[in-house]
Amino acid sequence: MSGHEGGCLCGKVRFRATAPAIDKGYCHCRMCQKNSGAPVVAWATFPAGSFSWIGEPPASYQSSREARRQFCPHCGSYMVFVSDRFPDEVAVNTASFDDPEAFPPDMHIFVSTRISWLHLADGLPQYESYRAPVDLG
Ligand SMILES: [Zn+2]
Ligand SMILES: [Zn+2]
């Protein structure tokens, strides 16, 4: 099968992305921090039409009026962010892929809420928002 596959910790919810990534980065927003429990979440966006769930369907949490975060209902792994603001795209947590090496981040976003003990020395550009001053939610 072409493309890249990934899934949750328990393996019941799986996904596949067949197109190249549109954008790849690290998100430092508080919502990603709270949802993951990690100081930062690496993500890669894909055309929605190239992304599909395989195996069991995910559960979904409406984290703001326009955004939903999708996760495994069995093990709780957070894997995907979708927003009405970007209806043609799906943002996948990079480390959820079986091969996270395939999508190295090339930017940092929402760096105003970067946790100070996490030091960045990778030289990547750092942005206060993503594409526009939006509330990713
Ligand atoms: Zn699971
Ligand atoms: Zn975020």
Side-chain angles (χ1 to χ4, degrees):
M1 205 63 197
S2 66
H4 293 268
E5 292 189 3
C8 64
L9 179 60
C10 79
K12 290 193 171 87
V13 177
R14 301 278 300 165
F15 58 80
R16 178 183 299 132
T18 56
I22 299 167
D23 273 340
K24 300 169 292 165
Y26 292 100
C27 187
H28 297 264
C29 86
R30 285 296 290 152
M31 309 280 290
C32 283
Q33 291 169 355
K34 282 285 191 180
N35 202 19
S36 66
V40 65
V41 171
W43 50 270
T45 53
F46 298 89
S50 73
F51 177 88
S52 53
W53 293 102
I54 52 182
E56 291 189 28
S60 187
Y61 172 64
Q62 188 92 30
S63 57
S64 76
R65 193 170 47 191
E66 58 191 31
R68 295 173 306 288
R69 291 160 187 271
Q70 296 177 297
F71 60 97
C72 173
H74 301 283
C75 69
S77 303
Y78 162 44
M79 291 172 278
V80 163
F81 171 91
V82 288
S83 170
D84 295 340
R85 192 176 288 268
F86 307 111
D88 299 327
E89 298 177 16
V90 173
V92 182
N93 291 347
T94 307
S96 298
F97 277 100
D98 297 337
D99 180 15
E101 302 280 354
F103 305 105
D106 48 24
M107 71 180 89
H108 294 271
I109 62 173
F110 294 99
V111 293
S112 65
T113 47
R114 175 180 64 85
I115 298 173
S116 66
W117 45 251
L118 179 68
H119 298 284
L120 309 179
D122 55 17
L124 297 176
Q126 301 184 16
Y127 302 110
E128 294 293 330
S129 63
Y130 180 56
R131 291 185 187 164
V134 298
D135 171 19
L136 275 186

